[in-house]
């Protein structure tokens, strides 16, 4: 605003704003203080947080007792791989929607419908066998269910016009995890049924439960709609003329995507990755339900501290600080770019 | 206007994403519907077959269901009211000029980046613990001998408090961004017209914020309907559980897949009612 | 270099007919300009030639080869865009080299060609800058450099000068004309500015609502407009159109006289009028005259005309320069 603000008003605003900022941040600050206290001092924190000595021992104990390094390694693996996997799917999709938008819904031709139906039926056979241990009745029920419901729905989603596809992608994000938990849990939990010893390759010990093979794709699926949306809004801002120039210059689609579009959209892609990083880092529902040891991320690591054994506050605080510090820094650096992803592009 | 070639390429470039998302959203849902009509208990493998609507019947008869449904609604509504009202005020404050604005902004936004399990445990133990917590310390400082046991006496309120703390920065950040997109010339014009602060808020700011506020409300609703970690790690599921938690405990504690699936479907229906609004809302912005 | 032939090219988008059917032959080495008001389909026509949009029906041939189904990359044309469409993340050098890289030309040849083009366009010292660090005119040069390195069959220009300021525009106009003379290349140039069209073109194509109104040399269009639309569009200030009794006297529905073909005469002229206002350009003066039955006319008087508003004057059109049009707006020509 061009109007100059009086000095008194500035002082007043400064005091109020700082007070609110400190109150909002206080729980984090308090945790940080407790993390550097001995266990017994941590319990009398409100009275004497300044007078008691500071210590680093909690961090060492946390590492020793619950192997922090492994959890942060797990989290990093899941977060990074799922983000990369997401980009592989999302960049072509966002390109398609931003630069080759489909103005009106397509009518699927008969041949394609049939091909998809056959493909769908194969998927169903697989699932049917998987869930029913060869019980034919259930198998046919599953078959009917998929033929009637899933295949037409997928075809419909694919053949929507672009804004329809976008909205449908958004709506998949709105499906409550409680609605998908049961089948996913059962699929993840099944051991030795499909993953068995086939002679040439032995998968009998393979299970999706508590494994990166399960968690990475799952995390990608959770955030794919947001990645696509965010990329789409960034791609939309790139003038189509530049891609046309590339086409005139003889660039193939691959070159158009990876030599022209991707480098130009790099800031947008980076913000998308950061948002995805934050969301998957903090994801808790699926992590708590589908991991317990081997592929467990930091969310799970912290939840281990919910059932106290002996004195644990200082250690809980130390563990918490270690779990949140990296992502807090990332969040602070990228806060301005996140808004668009957090509102599906509705606020920029 | 893309060429036919581009449209064909675009269609195939879109297919992988659509295929995996369709698989992700339709297959589990179809299976959930299927399970909801089965007698299917992991610890009772002999008892199988069709259950008809009995899973739903028992689910509706379960007193936990109605309590948890109410909890869900209270948690969503309470948190939204708190964060939107607080978010508007906070955004207005952060839009002003004062010393250290950048730092205050960082302090305020921080809770949003904290993972739910951490914020739940920190609030439960370090802040709201009846003996050693910060609130208890403050109460003692003012002479009270029996500090409040927040999570014991008011579990739903306490969870709401934690969740509000996490989501208030979200509302504030979105609304602040929206405020800063307000045309400078419009502000100047209002100042030239001699608009009072109250009228400025009423006739210029609120209408400008109407759309972002709606977006915040709808998106928060989607996330808040699915609050889970905060309830699980603070072990208040029995008192302040919501629908998501109920489904989890049906599956995990009662190992009743059929019942859990029925609950999951109810949660889906509830979320769809909300998302129908959100999709329409965001859909309008698509054209621009 | 190339002959481009359009045969009954049609473009329909939804219910909107953008180009109802165009036939045109662009000759080898010719500088042809598409001109018309905005929305007349001139850019669409250019983009159809480029392959950036699909035709609804019709055939486009380049040197006899049917390229209707060929992707832009396969047509061997270069295009200069209105927004320049430079790759912002690449240096000037990379920008100019890009089409050659796409054609998989060996490194050392690319370097030689890029430097050659840069020298020709006075860009040598900017080769390592990014487009964002260049002025509008320099960016324009880079865009041209990118177009010429590849030695395409023809150059397409989509309003390339409309983002430049007036002085620069005149300079670039001359440079592009010079380039055309040096290279003897086929060039298709789109503009909404009839002055640009008149000064640059070998032949002009005037478009209105997707229809080709007339094709001809600048002076052809100026002297013998086929339609009312062409007559009004070419020439500045606009041709005066007179209808009613005066037109009937010439056995036409409308007659047109250019401002420069009306003389201010002392004594009794053909039309009497009253000056409304005068625009002084130094070399000429434009008089806006209320001329009774003839309506409101613009008259170009050479030099510094001394008349003041409300002065009465007499006007005399050059009878050989009166254009006659029928009720359909088509020119009536006496053989």
């Amino acid at each position: 605003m061009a109007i100059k603000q009086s000095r008194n008003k500035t002082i007043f605003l400064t005091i109020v704003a700082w007070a609110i900022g400190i109150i909002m941040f206080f729980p984090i600050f308090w945790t940080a203080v407790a993390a550097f206290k001995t266990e017994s001092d941590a319990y009398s924190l409100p009275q004497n947080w300044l007078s008691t000595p500071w210590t680093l021992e909690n961090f060492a104990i946390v590492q020793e007792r619950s192997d922090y390094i492994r959890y942060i390694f797990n989290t990093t693996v899941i977060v990074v791989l799922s983000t990369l996997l997401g980009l592989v799917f999302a960049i072509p999709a966002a390109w398609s929607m931003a630069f080759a938008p489909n103005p009106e819904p397509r009518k699927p031709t008969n041949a394609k419908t049939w091909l998809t139906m056959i493909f769908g039926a194969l998927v169903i056979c697989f699932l049917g066998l998987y869930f029913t241990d060869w019980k034919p009745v259930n198998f046919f029920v599953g078959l009917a269910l998929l033929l009637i419901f899933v295949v037409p729905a997928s075809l419909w989603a694919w053949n929507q016009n672009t804004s329809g596809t976008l909205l449908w992608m958004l709506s998949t994000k709105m499906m409550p995890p409680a609605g998908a938990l049961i089948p996913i849990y059962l699929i993840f939990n099944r051991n030795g049924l499909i993953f068995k010893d086939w002679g040439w390759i032995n998968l009998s010990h393979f299970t999706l439960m508590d494994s990166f093979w399960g968690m990475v794709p799952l995390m990608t699926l959770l955030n794919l709609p947001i990645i696509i949306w965010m990329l789409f809004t960034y791609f939309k801002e790139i003038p189509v003329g530049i891609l046309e120039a590339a086409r005139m210059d003889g660039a193939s689609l691959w070159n158009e995507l990876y030599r022209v579009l991707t480098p130009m959209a790099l800031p947008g892609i980076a913000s998308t990755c950061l948002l995805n990083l934050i969301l998957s880092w903090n994801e808790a529902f699926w992590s708590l339900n589908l991991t317990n040891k081997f592929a467990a991320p930091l969310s799970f690591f912290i939840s281990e501290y919910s059932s106290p054994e002996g004195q644990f506050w200082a250690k809980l605080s130390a563990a918490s600080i270690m779990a949140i510090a990296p992502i807090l820094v990332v969040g602070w650096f990228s806060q301005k770019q996140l808004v668009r992803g957090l509102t599906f592009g509705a606020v920029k | 206007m893309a060429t036919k070639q581009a449209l064909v390429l675009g269609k195939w470039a879109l297919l992988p994403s659509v295929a995996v998302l369709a698989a992700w959203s339709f297959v589990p849902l179809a299976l959930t519907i299927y399970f909801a009509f089965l007698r299917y208990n992991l610890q009772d493998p002999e008892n199988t077959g069709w259950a008809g609507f009995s899973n739903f019947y028992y689910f509706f008869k379960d007193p936990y269901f109605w309590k948890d449904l109410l909890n869900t609604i209270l948690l969503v509504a309470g948190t939204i009211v708190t964060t939107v009202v607080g978010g508007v005020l906070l955004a207005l404050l952060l839009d002003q000029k004062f010393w250290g604005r950048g730092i205050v902004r960082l302090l305020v936004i921080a809770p949003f980046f904290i993972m739910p399990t951490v914020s739940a445990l920190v609030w439960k133990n370090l802040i709201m613990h009846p003996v050693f917590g910060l609130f208890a310390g403050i109460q003692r400082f003012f002479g009270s001998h029996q500090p409040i046991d927040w999570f014991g006496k008011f579990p739903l309120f306490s969870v709401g408090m934690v969740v509000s703390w996490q989501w208030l920065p979200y509302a504030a950040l979105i609304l602040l961004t929206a405020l800063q997109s307000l045309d400078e010339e419009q502000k100047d014009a209002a100042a030239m017209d001699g608009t009072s602060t109250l009228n400025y808020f009423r006739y210029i700011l609120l209408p400008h914020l109407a759309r972002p506020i709606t977006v915040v409300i709808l998106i928060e609703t989607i996330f808040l309907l699915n609050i889970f970690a905060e309830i699980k790690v603070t072990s208040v599921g029995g008192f302040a559980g919501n629908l998501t938690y109920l489904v989890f405990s049906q599956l995990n504690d009662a190992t009743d897949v059929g019942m859990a699936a029925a609950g999951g479907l109810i949660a889906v229906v509830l979320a769809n009612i909300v998302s129908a609004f959100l999709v329409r809302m965001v859909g309008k912005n698509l054209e621009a | 270099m190339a002959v481009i032939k359009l045969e009954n090219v049609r473009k329909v988008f939804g219910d909107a007919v953008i180009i109802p059917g165009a036939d045109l032959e662009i000759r080898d080495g010719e500088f042809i300009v598409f001109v018309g008001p905005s929305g007349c389909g001139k850019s669409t026509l250019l983009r159809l030639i480029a392959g950036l949009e699909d035709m609804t029906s019709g055939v486009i041939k380049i040197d006899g080869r049917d390229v209707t189904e060929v992707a832009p990359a396969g047509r061997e044309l270069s295009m200069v865009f209105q927004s320049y469409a430079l790759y912002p993340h690449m240096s000037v050098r990379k920008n100019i080299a890009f089409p050659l890289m796409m054609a998989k030309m060996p490194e050392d040849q690319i370097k030689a060609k890029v430097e050659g083009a840069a020298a020709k366009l006075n860009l040598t010292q900017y080769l390592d800058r990014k487009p964002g660090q260049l002025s509008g005119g320099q960016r324009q040069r880079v865009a041209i450099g990118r177009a010429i390195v590849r030695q395409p069959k023809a150059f397409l220009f989509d309003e390339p000068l409309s983002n430049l300021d007036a002085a620069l525009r005149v300079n670039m106009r001359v440079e592009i004309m010079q380039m055309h003379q040096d290279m003897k290349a086929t060039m298709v140039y789109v503009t909404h500015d009839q002055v640009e069209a008149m000064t640059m073109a070998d032949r002009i194509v005037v478009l209105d609502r997707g229809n080709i109104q007339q094709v001809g040399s600048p002076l052809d269009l100026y002297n013998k407009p086929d339609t009312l639309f062409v007559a009004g569009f070419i020439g500045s200030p606009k041709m005066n159109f007179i209808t009613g009794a005066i037109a009937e006297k010439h056995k036409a529905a409308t007659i047109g006289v250019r401002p420069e073909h009306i003389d201010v005469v002392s004594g009794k002229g053909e039309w009497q009028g009253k000056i409304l206002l005068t625009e002084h350009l130094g070399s000429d003066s434009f008089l806006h005259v209320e001329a009774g039955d003839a309506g409101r006319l613009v008259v170009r008087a050479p030099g510094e005309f001394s008349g003041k508003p409300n002065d009465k004057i007499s006007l005399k059109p050059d009878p050989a320069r009166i254009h006659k049009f029928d009720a359909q707006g088509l020119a009536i020509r006496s053989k």
Side-chain angles (χ1 to χ4, degrees), chain B residues 74-88:
Chain B
L74 285 178
L75 193 58
V76 171
T79 309
I80 282 179
V81 171
T82 319
T83 55
V84 168
V85 173
V88 171

PDB file of all heavy atoms in Angstrom, chain B residues 74-88:
ATOM      1  N   LEU B  74     -18.419 -33.527  14.460  1.00  0.00           N
ATOM      2  CA  LEU B  74     -17.967 -32.492  15.393  1.00  0.00           C
ATOM      3  C   LEU B  74     -16.514 -32.109  15.116  1.00  0.00           C
ATOM      4  O   LEU B  74     -16.160 -30.928  15.111  1.00  0.00           O
ATOM      5  CB  LEU B  74     -18.093 -32.990  16.837  1.00  0.00           C
ATOM      6  CG  LEU B  74     -19.509 -33.022  17.406  1.00  0.00           C
ATOM      7  CD1 LEU B  74     -19.497 -33.582  18.831  1.00  0.00           C
ATOM      8  CD2 LEU B  74     -20.100 -31.608  17.407  1.00  0.00           C
ATOM      9  N   LEU B  75     -15.698 -33.115  14.873  1.00  0.00           N
ATOM     10  CA  LEU B  75     -14.276 -32.864  14.652  1.00  0.00           C
ATOM     11  C   LEU B  75     -14.081 -32.029  13.390  1.00  0.00           C
ATOM     12  O   LEU B  75     -13.346 -31.035  13.385  1.00  0.00           O
ATOM     13  CB  LEU B  75     -13.538 -34.202  14.520  1.00  0.00           C
ATOM     14  CG  LEU B  75     -12.020 -34.175  14.577  1.00  0.00           C
ATOM     15  CD1 LEU B  75     -11.551 -33.567  15.889  1.00  0.00           C
ATOM     16  CD2 LEU B  75     -11.452 -35.584  14.435  1.00  0.00           C
ATOM     17  N   VAL B  76     -14.790 -32.418  12.345  1.00  0.00           N
ATOM     18  CA  VAL B  76     -14.657 -31.676  11.078  1.00  0.00           C
ATOM     19  C   VAL B  76     -15.175 -30.256  11.246  1.00  0.00           C
ATOM     20  O   VAL B  76     -14.482 -29.279  10.922  1.00  0.00           O
ATOM     21  CB  VAL B  76     -15.416 -32.407   9.936  1.00  0.00           C
ATOM     22  CG1 VAL B  76     -15.455 -31.537   8.691  1.00  0.00           C
ATOM     23  CG2 VAL B  76     -14.754 -33.732   9.630  1.00  0.00           C
ATOM     24  N   ALA B  77     -16.394 -30.144  11.798  1.00  0.00           N
ATOM     25  CA  ALA B  77     -17.017 -28.820  11.886  1.00  0.00           C
ATOM     26  C   ALA B  77     -16.233 -27.905  12.817  1.00  0.00           C
ATOM     27  O   ALA B  77     -15.933 -26.754  12.481  1.00  0.00           O
ATOM     28  CB  ALA B  77     -18.459 -28.962  12.363  1.00  0.00           C
ATOM     29  N   GLY B  78     -15.871 -28.439  13.985  1.00  0.00           N
ATOM     30  CA  GLY B  78     -15.161 -27.623  14.967  1.00  0.00           C
ATOM     31  C   GLY B  78     -13.830 -27.129  14.418  1.00  0.00           C
ATOM     32  O   GLY B  78     -13.495 -25.937  14.521  1.00  0.00           O
ATOM     33  N   THR B  79     -13.091 -28.044  13.811  1.00  0.00           N
ATOM     34  CA  THR B  79     -11.780 -27.658  13.289  1.00  0.00           C
ATOM     35  C   THR B  79     -11.923 -26.636  12.169  1.00  0.00           C
ATOM     36  O   THR B  79     -11.159 -25.675  12.083  1.00  0.00           O
ATOM     37  CB  THR B  79     -11.042 -28.904  12.766  1.00  0.00           C
ATOM     38  OG1 THR B  79     -11.065 -29.892  13.777  1.00  0.00           O
ATOM     39  CG2 THR B  79      -9.618 -28.568  12.411  1.00  0.00           C
ATOM     40  N   ILE B  80     -12.930 -26.818  11.340  1.00  0.00           N
ATOM     41  CA  ILE B  80     -13.089 -25.889  10.222  1.00  0.00           C
ATOM     42  C   ILE B  80     -13.437 -24.498  10.726  1.00  0.00           C
ATOM     43  O   ILE B  80     -12.858 -23.495  10.283  1.00  0.00           O
ATOM     44  CB  ILE B  80     -14.135 -26.417   9.230  1.00  0.00           C
ATOM     45  CG1 ILE B  80     -13.483 -27.505   8.388  1.00  0.00           C
ATOM     46  CG2 ILE B  80     -14.648 -25.300   8.343  1.00  0.00           C
ATOM     47  CD1 ILE B  80     -14.370 -28.128   7.390  1.00  0.00           C
ATOM     48  N   VAL B  81     -14.371 -24.431  11.669  1.00  0.00           N
ATOM     49  CA  VAL B  81     -14.728 -23.107  12.193  1.00  0.00           C
ATOM     50  C   VAL B  81     -13.497 -22.439  12.787  1.00  0.00           C
ATOM     51  O   VAL B  81     -13.168 -21.284  12.484  1.00  0.00           O
ATOM     52  CB  VAL B  81     -15.852 -23.239  13.246  1.00  0.00           C
ATOM     53  CG1 VAL B  81     -16.065 -21.907  13.956  1.00  0.00           C
ATOM     54  CG2 VAL B  81     -17.138 -23.686  12.574  1.00  0.00           C
ATOM     55  N   THR B  82     -12.769 -23.193  13.630  1.00  0.00           N
ATOM     56  CA  THR B  82     -11.578 -22.614  14.265  1.00  0.00           C
ATOM     57  C   THR B  82     -10.560 -22.145  13.236  1.00  0.00           C
ATOM     58  O   THR B  82     -10.060 -21.021  13.300  1.00  0.00           O
ATOM     59  CB  THR B  82     -10.881 -23.680  15.144  1.00  0.00           C
ATOM     60  OG1 THR B  82     -11.884 -24.411  15.822  1.00  0.00           O
ATOM     61  CG2 THR B  82      -9.938 -23.039  16.125  1.00  0.00           C
ATOM     62  N   THR B  83     -10.260 -23.022  12.283  1.00  0.00           N
ATOM     63  CA  THR B  83      -9.163 -22.676  11.377  1.00  0.00           C
ATOM     64  C   THR B  83      -9.557 -21.595  10.384  1.00  0.00           C
ATOM     65  O   THR B  83      -8.726 -20.770  10.023  1.00  0.00           O
ATOM     66  CB  THR B  83      -8.692 -23.918  10.592  1.00  0.00           C
ATOM     67  OG1 THR B  83      -9.801 -24.491   9.915  1.00  0.00           O
ATOM     68  CG2 THR B  83      -8.068 -24.938  11.489  1.00  0.00           C
ATOM     69  N   VAL B  84     -10.820 -21.565   9.965  1.00  0.00           N
ATOM     70  CA  VAL B  84     -11.193 -20.538   8.994  1.00  0.00           C
ATOM     71  C   VAL B  84     -11.245 -19.164   9.658  1.00  0.00           C
ATOM     72  O   VAL B  84     -10.666 -18.193   9.160  1.00  0.00           O
ATOM     73  CB  VAL B  84     -12.519 -20.883   8.303  1.00  0.00           C
ATOM     74  CG1 VAL B  84     -13.031 -19.687   7.519  1.00  0.00           C
ATOM     75  CG2 VAL B  84     -12.323 -22.054   7.360  1.00  0.00           C
ATOM     76  N   VAL B  85     -11.916 -19.086  10.814  1.00  0.00           N
ATOM     77  CA  VAL B  85     -11.972 -17.795  11.505  1.00  0.00           C
ATOM     78  C   VAL B  85     -10.560 -17.355  11.881  1.00  0.00           C
ATOM     79  O   VAL B  85     -10.121 -16.238  11.574  1.00  0.00           O
ATOM     80  CB  VAL B  85     -12.867 -17.888  12.763  1.00  0.00           C
ATOM     81  CG1 VAL B  85     -12.785 -16.595  13.558  1.00  0.00           C
ATOM     82  CG2 VAL B  85     -14.300 -18.161  12.348  1.00  0.00           C
ATOM     83  N   GLY B  86      -9.821 -18.275  12.509  1.00  0.00           N
ATOM     84  CA  GLY B  86      -8.446 -17.955  12.874  1.00  0.00           C
ATOM     85  C   GLY B  86      -7.595 -17.646  11.651  1.00  0.00           C
ATOM     86  O   GLY B  86      -6.769 -16.739  11.665  1.00  0.00           O
ATOM     87  N   GLY B  87      -7.830 -18.384  10.594  1.00  0.00           N
ATOM     88  CA  GLY B  87      -7.035 -18.209   9.380  1.00  0.00           C
ATOM     89  C   GLY B  87      -7.254 -16.843   8.750  1.00  0.00           C
ATOM     90  O   GLY B  87      -6.306 -16.193   8.295  1.00  0.00           O
ATOM     91  N   VAL B  88      -8.517 -16.381   8.732  1.00  0.00           N
ATOM     92  CA  VAL B  88      -8.798 -15.059   8.167  1.00  0.00           C
ATOM     93  C   VAL B  88      -8.072 -13.995   8.981  1.00  0.00           C
ATOM     94  O   VAL B  88      -7.384 -13.120   8.434  1.00  0.00           O
ATOM     95  CB  VAL B  88     -10.317 -14.783   8.138  1.00  0.00           C
ATOM     96  CG1 VAL B  88     -10.585 -13.327   7.769  1.00  0.00           C
ATOM     97  CG2 VAL B  88     -11.013 -15.703   7.150  1.00  0.00           C
TER      98      VAL B  88
END
